[in-house]
Each structure stands twice: as C-alpha cells, then as structure tokens.
C-alpha cells in the first residue's frame, strides 16, 4: 500500500496534444513511464486554450485554431522520487515546459488489489441491500 502525506513535489509537464513519442501521444508515454517508475500518480489535463514558445494561440473556440491544444501532465510524489524521474523527461520532452512546485499532500492512500476487490464487493452488497427502500 502506498501512503503519501506531508511534503511532496508536483511535476507538471506542459506540452501539446499532438506531441508524439514513437507514433503515440507523448502524454501517454509520460504517464506509462511514471507508472512503471512506481510514482504515486499521474493525471493528464486537456486545456481549452493556450500558447507557448511559438506565441501562437490555440483555442477550442475556433475550429481553425483547435489543433494541438495544450495538455498538462501532473505527477505528485516525494521530492526524491520525482527528481529520479526527471532524466526520463529529458529524453521525452523536446519542446514544452516542465515545472516543479513544492506542495503538501493532505491525504493519499493507495490500495492494493485485495483491498480494491473487498471494497468493490462491499459496495455491491450495500447497493443490492438497499434497492427499493426509501429513506425518510
């Protein structure tokens, strides 16, 4: 089980949705490598408008400019683990912005497969047991 609380480092990679690594989306490769590295978690956020070093504004509001919208990949883990991951980004990100921010994790509790199966079964029984009942 992974537990992460207290001081942490947030890694954010700002890239374009059309950026690729070996013919697949770059954000996918970053997430899969973060997972393989055992980092606590990674999320990809799709932007609706933005610009970068080229100063060309990309926006979802105009069809002609809706290509290559901004994407942010956010990873949070301990400072040591995030810094160990940085060399992989050096290999992957040729154009983009990578930022590091200190942050504080209030609560993050990962679960193993056994816990997940137990919780899923418990939730399933709870729903079936209350089917058709009205609360007052």
């Amino acid at each position: 089980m992974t537990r992460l609380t207290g001081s942490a480092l947030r890694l954010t990679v700002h890239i374009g949705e059309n950026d690729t690594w070996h013919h697949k989306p770059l954000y996918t490769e970053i997430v899969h490598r973060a997972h393989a590295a055992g980092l606590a978690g990674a999320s990809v956020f799709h932007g609706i408008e933005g610009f970068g070093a080229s100063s060309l504004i990309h926006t979802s509001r105009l069809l002609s400019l809706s290509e290559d919208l901004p994407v942010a990949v956010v990873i949070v883990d301990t400072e040591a683990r995030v810094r160990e991951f940085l060399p992989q980004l050096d290999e992957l990100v040729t154009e983009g912005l990578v930022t590091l921010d200190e942050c504080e994790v209030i609560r993050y509790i990962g679960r193993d497969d056994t816990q997940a199966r137990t919780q899923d079964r418990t939730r399933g029984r709870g729903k079936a047991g209350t089917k058709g009942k009205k609360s007052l």
Side-chain angles (χ1 to χ4, degrees), residues 89-122:
L89 290 180
D90 287 340
E91 175 188 357
L92 296 172
V93 180
T94 56
E95 290 184 23
L97 173 67
V98 178
T99 61
L100 295 172
D101 301 293
E102 292 179 4
C103 62
E104 182 177 352
V105 174
I106 303 301
R107 182 166 189 237
Y108 172 87
I109 300 174
R111 58 185 187 183
D112 63 20
D113 289 341
T114 305
Q115 284 180 305
R117 284 192 300 272
T118 302
Q119 288 177 357
D120 289 342
R121 282 194 302 266
T122 303

Side-chain angles (χ1 to χ4, degrees), residues 42-102:
S43 297
V44 178
F45 298 94
H46 194 249
I48 59 172
E49 189 165 353
F51 71 93
S54 70
S55 292
L56 178 62
I57 294 179
H58 300 272
T59 178
S60 61
R61 292 181 291 129
L62 301 171
L63 186 58
S64 63
L65 298 174
S66 66
E67 298 175 3
D68 203 24
L69 290 170
V71 171
V73 182
V74 179
I75 299 168
V76 177
D77 207 320
T78 64
E79 180 174 359
R81 293 176 63 82
V82 169
R83 291 197 182 276
E84 286 175 13
F85 186 69
L86 290 177
Q88 293 200 52
L89 290 180
D90 287 340
E91 175 188 357
L92 296 172
V93 180
T94 56
E95 290 184 23
L97 173 67
V98 178
T99 61
L100 295 172
D101 301 293
E102 292 179 4

